[in-house]
Amino acid sequence: MTIEGEETRPTAASAGRGVVGRLSWGLADQAASSLSNFAVGIYVARSLGVTAFGVFSLAWVTYGVVLSVSRGVGTDPLVVRFSGVPDASWRGAVARSSGTALGVGAAIGTVCLAVGLALGGSVGIAFACLGVMLPGLLLQDAWRYAFFAAGTGRKAFVNDVVWGVALVPAMVLAARVDSVAAFVLAWGASAAVAALYGCLQSGIRPQLTGARQWLRTHRDLGYRYLVENTCLSGASQLRAYGLGAIVGVGAVGAVRGSELLLGPFLAVLMGLSLVTVAEAARVLRQAPHRLGPFCLLLGGGQAVAALLWGAALLLMPDQVGEFVLGDVWQSTSPLIVPAVLGVAGAGLGTGAAAGLRALAAARRSLRSQLFASACYVSGGLGGAAVAGTVGSAWGVAVATLCGSAVWGLQLRTALREHHQNHIREVRKP
């Protein structure tokens, strides 16, 4: 004879272990991805020099924008609607969403190829090579999100490790050629190897013909997430360009220095972001009343971790800072406190953002992101106009906290609406 309380305790404990395990694989996967990206950047910079590395960086930044598009219309809806679902449903959705990523890569890649050929020169050749490699790059990223939606983050980690291993011989060959085009091709070709391996891991073939159906079925989420993702990256670029125009290029370098100091912690946040929406969606399906506390714990935990990391940075001797950043340390050190507060504020917002996406409240999510992005740009540039680089950093910190407050308010309203809708459904005869 079993007691009811005794049955539920192991179940809750095993569920908790499952969440921790999936979060751990998210962190491991992001660590592998960040390490390979960092290694590529350092290797290419040392091999090509400043000017050629700048050309490579233009291709890299363009890839980041295209990646935001692919995630918005392809993988973000997948994570929201197909996390923790039966395997057959997941497989069909992954085939269409990965086909969408492949289609986005082919379409925008064709544009990059045409523009690159028209431009000519080193920049044009780099963009042309990027256009050829975009389908493989986006498909590799699509597999990562598909595996996390299924709760098998270990496969995403292995896929990123495969990409990292393939990068080694590819970069060595590119260094022998010693050109920007060779490095872009090496980077993209190694991603294509991992993308093909993802097909073997999942046993799924991307359905390029299913892209139109996927976009049509999930347009209520996809187009809003598309705007949300691109305005997030666009706000950061606008702040950087505006700061350079108002204060000077040195100010941009100082801000970038503060971001490098926060780099390890930001990598943790990015790793968590791979799985938080999927976990929030699971909580919503299994215990809807726990979604609010889950998001609060998630955001609060990240904020506290950011503050602890900031305290460690403040205790760091100047000699260590100068060793890491060189001459940039003197202009970066006054930015540590506002930069940490800004990241802590962003951490609070990520919990609410995960909850809104789990609820498929795309309209509220987009509204929050637009407000947060507008605050970010206006705070960063307004602060720069008033008090230079330090003023910009404090403006961003205040703006981020305001944006997170809006995220929290929108989540509270969405939870209330979801609860009321659930009550109406229960009362229906």
Side-chain angles (χ1 to χ4, degrees):
M1 179 176 178
T2 58
I3 301 174
E4 184 178 355
E6 293 179 350
E7 291 179 354
T8 57
R9 287 193 197 99
T11 301
S14 61
R17 286 193 296 270
V19 172
V20 172
R22 289 188 290 269
L23 291 176
S24 298
W25 281 118
L27 293 174
D29 175 73
Q30 186 57 46
S33 178
S34 297
L35 181 61
S36 62
N37 289 341
F38 178 76
V40 168
I42 294 298
Y43 192 77
V44 175
R46 291 183 175 181
S47 300
L48 296 180
V50 177
T51 303
F53 180 63
V55 176
F56 181 86
S57 298
L58 287 176
W60 187 287
V61 170
T62 303
Y63 159 70
V65 176
V66 178
L67 188 62
S68 296
V69 174
S70 177
R71 288 176 177 176
V73 299
T75 52
D76 283 345
L78 172 76
V79 172
V80 170
R81 288 181 167 159
F82 295 93
S83 292
V85 300
D87 184 67
S89 179
W90 173 81
R91 294 180 68 85
V94 169
R96 293 187 295 275
S97 67
S98 60
T100 301
L102 202 58
V104 170
I108 301 182
T110 301
V111 175
C112 286
L113 178 61
V115 171
L117 293 176
L119 285 175
S122 59
V123 175
I125 294 174
F127 270 84
C129 293
L130 175 66
V132 174
M133 293 297 154
L134 271 177
L137 286 163
L138 298 188
L139 181 58
Q140 191 276 336
D141 186 74
W143 291 130
R144 296 174 68 203
Y145 280 77
F147 292 140
F148 279 113
T152 54
R154 176 181 58 84
K155 291 185 177 181
F157 170 75
V158 172
N159 194 274
D160 267 325
V161 170
V162 169
W163 186 4
V165 171
L167 267 171
V168 176
M171 285 292 161
V172 171
L173 290 174
R176 293 183 178 179
V177 178
D178 195 28
S179 69
V180 177
F183 279 104
V184 173
L185 291 174
W187 169 51
S190 56
V193 171
L196 291 174
Y197 182 66
C199 296
L200 295 176
Q201 284 179 293
S202 63
I204 298 173
R205 181 187 301 176
Q207 293 181 2
L208 190 59
T209 55
R212 179 176 297 180
Q213 178 188 354
W214 180 265
L215 293 173
R216 183 173 59 251
T217 303
H218 303 286
R219 62 179 179 271
D220 58 323
L221 297 181
Y223 296 135
R224 289 190 173 93
Y225 290 158
L226 170 62
V227 176
E228 186 178 322
N229 291 350
T230 52
C231 76
L232 176 62
S233 57
S236 178
Q237 293 298 317
L238 285 175
R239 186 236 180 160
Y241 295 149
L243 183 61
I246 295 171
V247 183
V249 179
V252 180
V255 171
R256 178 57 181 157
S258 66
E259 292 173 351
L260 288 173
L261 291 176
L262 291 164
F265 179 77
L266 293 177
V268 172
L269 285 185
M270 292 176 66
L272 289 174
S273 69
L274 289 170
V275 291
T276 50
V277 176
E279 290 304 321
R282 287 187 178 89
V283 172
L284 179 63
R285 288 189 178 93
Q286 298 170 5
H289 62 284
R290 295 181 181 174
L291 181 60
F294 173 82
C295 294
L296 180 61
L297 179 63
L298 180 65
Q302 292 180 75
V304 170
L307 294 176
L308 291 175
W309 183 266
L313 291 177
L314 290 174
L315 294 173
M316 184 174 64
D318 287 341
Q319 293 84 348
V320 177
E322 291 172 355
F323 175 77
V324 174
L325 297 177
D327 295 337
V328 179
W329 169 252
Q330 294 302 322
S331 56
T332 293
S333 56
L335 307 182
I336 292 178
V337 172
V340 168
L341 291 177
V343 173
L348 287 172
T350 56
L356 284 173
R357 291 207 166 185
L359 290 165
R363 183 174 298 177
R364 294 191 177 279
S365 179
L366 176 59
R367 192 179 303 161
S368 301
Q369 187 58 68
L370 289 173
F371 178 84
S373 297
C375 285
Y376 183 90
V377 174
S378 58
L381 298 185
V386 174
T389 309
V390 176
S392 178
W394 279 106
V396 166
V398 173
T400 304
L401 290 170
C402 291
S404 294
V406 171
W407 278 106
L409 291 173
Q410 291 290 337
L411 175 62
R412 187 176 67 176
T413 303
L415 286 170
R416 188 185 306 118
E417 291 174 349
H418 179 78
H419 179 66
Q420 292 173 349
N421 292 335
H422 178 70
I423 292 176
R424 292 194 197 99
E425 291 177 0
V426 171
R427 290 178 177 176
K428 285 181 180 178

